[in-house]
Amino acid sequence: MLKRLLREPLVHFLALALLIFAVHGLLRGDADHPDKIVVSASKIEQMATVFTKTWQRSPTADELKGMIDDYVKEEVLVRQALELGLDRDDTVVRRRLRQKIEFLNAADAVPVAVTDPELEAYLAANPAAFATDATLAFEQLFLNPARHGDMMAKDAAALLAELRSNDMADPASLGDVSLLPAAVQLTSKAAIDQMFGGALADGLEKAPLGQWTGPLASSFGLHLVRVTEHRPGRVPQLADIRDEVVREWENARRSELEQQRFGELLARYEVSVEAPTVAGGKP
């Protein structure tokens, strides 16, 4: 059993790490340096693990010593930089420190378990965040601005009168040729926006049902349209979207707790804001 244990590579690695750690501490002479830098065994193991994952092999003794030396060098130089205040006016360093403390605060701000009544109240207070998109089915007749030019408004009015007065009129034969579909089945507003662009989807939602109207603008030109079906968006029941509501409630609660934590930190400081001076010396 002991022989098998002594043959394990992990045992060899840990023994080597502890030996290097001990020798490194002796050579450093901690008694002469009141500000101690401790390279813990767990830190050495972390270095070796990162090395192994990167290079797909364990580090040699020299490589491990090099990583320890580099860590000590970094620690010394960072402490010296902080002592000289070099971090105070460095935007990148300040931003990174802010991100780290915000991350720590977010990790601490674990929301408590939420109840269904709380979720119902949150859903009722934020219906727009969970409402499904309206869907519409419609026919459209396309007018190409390049073909009609200054006559666009007059031609659109004439075509609209024709469509309204003649139920047998064929929109496909009256409009200009395009790759756009002449009829669109029930489709969400978001999908219509992707297909046509412009303000067409918003115009369709306001258009009367079953009546030719327009012209409405898209990214391609103008359209005469007839909405054949309109299903307004709705807010689903909590049971249908509970996971989504829980996620948004937790995000909102976490943000609230973070703001509360920041308020507590801010209360420790007296903040004064000086008015900047402009050219001429006047504030």
Side-chain angles (χ1 to χ4, degrees):
M1 181 71 176
L2 180 59
K3 290 181 179 180
R4 283 203 308 270
L5 186 63
L6 291 175
R7 285 198 297 267
E8 287 292 330
L10 179 60
V11 173
H12 296 166
F13 167 73
L14 290 176
L16 177 63
L18 290 173
L19 177 62
I20 293 175
F21 177 61
V23 172
H24 194 85
L26 289 174
L27 293 177
R28 222 177 55 239
D30 287 339
D32 298 329
H33 300 275
D35 293 332
K36 290 185 178 181
I37 296 176
V38 177
V39 188
S40 66
S42 61
K43 183 63 180 178
I44 296 174
E45 186 175 350
Q46 179 188 11
M47 294 177 189
T49 300
V50 172
F51 183 98
T52 302
K53 288 182 178 179
T54 303
W55 300 103
Q56 299 300 307
R57 64 175 179 83
S58 299
T60 64
D62 287 341
E63 288 169 336
L64 193 59
K65 182 180 182 303
M67 287 186 286
I68 294 172
D69 289 342
D70 187 66
Y71 174 80
V72 172
K73 181 179 180 180
E74 179 183 276
E75 187 67 20
V76 170
L77 295 179
V78 167
R79 291 188 187 189
Q80 181 66 17
L82 292 174
E83 185 178 331
L84 295 174
L86 300 183
D87 60 307
R88 294 171 192 164
D89 297 319
D90 191 312
T91 302
V92 175
V93 172
R94 288 171 58 87
R95 186 177 296 124
R96 181 60 176 158
L97 291 173
R98 171 180 173 172
Q99 289 173 344
K100 293 191 76 170
I101 197 65
E102 285 179 341
F103 176 79
L104 291 174
N105 286 342
D108 290 338
V110 179
V112 297
V114 60
T115 64
D116 278 359
E118 288 176 311
L119 292 177
E120 291 282 8
Y122 184 78
L123 179 59
N126 302 275
F130 305 99
T132 60
D133 205 359
T135 56
L136 300 115
F138 62 97
E139 299 173 275
Q140 66 88 21
L141 181 154
F142 176 62
L143 291 91
N144 190 337
R147 291 194 59 186
H148 296 271
D150 295 339
M151 297 295 292
M152 175 67 84
K154 184 176 180 180
D155 291 347
L159 288 171
L160 182 59
E162 172 71 12
L163 290 168
R164 286 180 172 178
S165 62
N166 183 5
D167 292 337
M168 302 301 294
D170 180 13
S173 64
L174 295 176
D176 297 328
V177 176
S178 78
L179 296 178
L180 298 169
V184 177
Q185 300 304 314
L186 272 175
T187 305
S188 69
K189 281 187 62 182
I192 294 171
D193 275 335
Q194 291 180 349
M195 191 184 308
F196 288 89
L200 187 72
D202 288 336
L204 288 169
E205 193 170 29
K206 300 172 184 175
L209 192 65
Q211 178 181 329
W212 282 99
T213 187
L216 301 179
S218 74
S219 298
F220 303 97
L222 296 183
H223 305 260
L224 301 178
V225 300
R226 178 167 65 181
V227 176
T228 55
E229 189 172 358
H230 179 189
R231 295 183 184 178
R234 66 182 184 86
V235 180
Q237 297 295 314
L238 176 62
D240 298 328
I241 54 169
R242 192 179 192 282
D243 289 344
E244 183 181 351
V245 178
V246 168
R247 183 173 62 252
E248 293 304 316
W249 182 90
E250 288 179 344
N251 290 338
R253 178 62 176 160
R254 184 177 291 108
S255 178
E256 180 184 337
L257 292 174
E258 288 174 8
Q259 288 297 321
Q260 180 181 338
R261 177 72 59 82
F262 175 72
E264 294 170 353
L265 293 174
L266 182 61
R268 302 178 186 178
Y269 300 89
E270 179 181 339
V271 180
S272 60
V273 181
E274 297 179 350
T277 57
V278 297
K282 294 182 180 180

